[in-house]
């Protein structure tokens, strides 16, 4: 805004103070608009906090919601497998496991097929005969899968062949051993044990025979099998089990075994609620975090008469009401169930509105009737997922309220711009008027001084 710092110099009138005081009054509506605008921006930030808390609760609720087409029991069940002698095998489980105890007897482990090249070579000597070709191949067939290793004529040493095989990973690993005379041999070992992982060797590559240089040996007959592949010999509950190497994947429902040693042991499969309780803890923490945000943002301090940014806000009240009703009401799917509420499985409200789990009560309920416990968890997870999803939708209460506040802020911004332009004109007008008054008062002061001088002079002449 334009200022005239020298105004009032002639007359002694403090024009700057007068204009400043007048503009302070004129600016009050502008200050009120800016204050309201800041308040709305604070509300948007607070709604963002609620949105983040709701999103965390939504994620936690989804983790407790049964998958489409699956029951709560199936979705939330987990098991652990324990071996009395863990050196004999390792065990993992899937959701299809069933609690039980099984005897396990391993009388033989699977072996990995091994080959050795029938000829030996000095380090760096040519081992392959390429004839007039620039390249030859080695093929490794496992079941219906064949991997081809292409060798260029420059790759004619055992070291080069070894490196090419290992790079291709055809189901065998290659290594070189050196005998006491310094001669090298190429060994091949199947990367996994069992008959299903056995390979056959072929291809166009031919190996040099020092005893008959003109008659190279084809790859298919150049290697000797030094150890045949075999499967493990296993009995579960006295029943012989078909194996694929040292892995057992379909003998016991939902249990995978990896055999490591021969011997006899016991396998126990038991329900494991560790992951489920972790998901429940995450859900409870997310709910409590939202509950804290709702209380803090809607609070009122009677002693200081200070209201939080969303105190009395209808959006906050709507969120609070819907979320609490979801937790406090019995879902329709549980109307005839054994357990109907979260408190039935040990999850209850505290005096401050937060949730807390009684682990002992939860364990007792789950042990007595896991299906009923899972049904409660799944039902409340599903209803809370629906509630939070609706609240967070693009047409939900948070988005609608935020859009309305942003629209108001934009409108106020336009009003502020227009008001500032008006204030500039008002200040110019005030300064012009008071500057004119200053000029008039200065002129009157000058005239008054002149008249006083003239009257004094006339008085002196009359006296003489």
């Amino acid at each position: 805004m334009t200022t005239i710092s020298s105004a009032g110099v002639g007359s002694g009138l403090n024009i700057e103070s007068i204009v400043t005081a007048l503009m302070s009054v004129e600016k009050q509506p502008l200050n009120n608009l800016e204050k309201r605008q800041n308040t709305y921006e604070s509300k948007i930030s607070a709604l963002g906090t609620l949105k983040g808390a709701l999103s965390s609760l939504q994620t936690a609720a989804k983790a407790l919601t049964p998958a489409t087409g699956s029951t709560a029991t199936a979705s939330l069940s987990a098991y652990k497998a324990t071996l009395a002698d863990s050196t004999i095998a390792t065990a993992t489980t899937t959701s299809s496991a069933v609690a039980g105890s099984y005897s396990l007897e391993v009388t033989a482990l699977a072996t990995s097929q091994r080959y050795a090249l029938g000829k030996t070579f000095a380090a760096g000597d040519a081992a392959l005969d390429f004839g007039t070709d620039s390249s030859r191949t080695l093929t490794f067939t496992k079941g219906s899968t064949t991997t081809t290793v292409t060798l260029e004529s420059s790759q004619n040493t055992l070291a080069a062949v070894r490196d090419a095989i290992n790079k291709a990973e055809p189901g065998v690993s290659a290594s070189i051993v050196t005998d006491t005379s310094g001669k090298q041999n190429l060994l091949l070992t199947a990367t996994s044990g069992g008959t299903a992982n056995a390979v056959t060797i072929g291809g166009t590559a031919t190996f040099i025979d020092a005893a008959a240089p003109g008659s190279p040996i084809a790859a298919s007959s150049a290697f000797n099998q030094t150890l045949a592949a075999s499967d493990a010999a296993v009995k579960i509950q006295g029943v012989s089990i078909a194996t694929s190497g040292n892995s057992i994947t379909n003998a016991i429902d939902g249990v995978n075994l990896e055999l490591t040693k021969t011997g006899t042991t016991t396998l126990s499969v038991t329900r494991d609620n560790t992951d489920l309780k972790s998901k429940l803890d995450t859900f409870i923490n997310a709910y409590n975090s939202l509950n804290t945000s709702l209380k803090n943002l809607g609070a009122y301090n009677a002693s200081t008469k200070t209201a939080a940014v969303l105190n009395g806000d209808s959006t906050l009240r709507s969120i609070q009401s819907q979320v609490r009703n979801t937790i406090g009401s019995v879902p329709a799917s549980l109307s005839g169930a054994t357990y109907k509420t979260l408190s039935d499985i040990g999850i209850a409200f505290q005096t401050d509105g937060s949730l807390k789990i009684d682990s002992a009560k939860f364990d007792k309920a789950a042990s007595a009737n896991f299906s009923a416990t899972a049904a409660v968890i799944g039902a409340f997870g599903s209803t809370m997922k629906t509630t939070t999803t609706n609240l967070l939708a693009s047409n939900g209460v948070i988005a609608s309220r935020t859009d309305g506040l942003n629209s108001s802020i934009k409108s106020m911004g336009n009003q502020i711009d227009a008001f500032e332009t008006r204030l500039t004109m008002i200040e110019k007008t005030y300064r012009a008027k008071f500057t004119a008054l200053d000029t008039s008062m200065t002129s009157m002061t000058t005239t008054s001084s002149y008249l006083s001088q003239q009257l004094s002079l006339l008085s002196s002449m009359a006296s003489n």
Side-chain angles (χ1 to χ4, degrees), residues 166-247:
N166 289 337
K167 182 178 180 180
E169 299 181 348
V172 298
S173 61
S175 60
I176 291 175
V177 295
T178 304
D179 62 23
T180 55
S181 65
K183 292 287 188 176
Q184 294 184 337
N185 199 332
L186 184 66
L187 305 183
L188 304 179
T189 304
T191 51
S192 298
T195 55
N197 294 304
V199 300
T200 55
I201 303 172
T204 60
T206 55
F207 288 83
I208 295 172
D209 183 356
S215 303
I217 305 170
S220 58
S221 55
F223 290 90
N224 300 319
Q225 180 175 273
T226 58
L227 182 65
S230 65
D231 293 322
V234 183
K235 288 183 179 180
I236 296 178
Q237 293 292 90
V239 179
S240 295
I241 302 301
T243 65
S244 176
N246 289 315
S247 299

Side-chain angles (χ1 to χ4, degrees), residues 231-262:
D231 293 322
V234 183
K235 288 183 179 180
I236 296 178
Q237 293 292 90
V239 179
S240 295
I241 302 301
T243 65
S244 176
N246 289 315
S247 299
I248 300 175
T249 58
N250 55 6
I252 304 173
D253 288 340
V255 179
N256 299 320
L257 292 170
E258 192 66 35
L259 307 178
T260 54
K261 191 179 79 172
T262 58

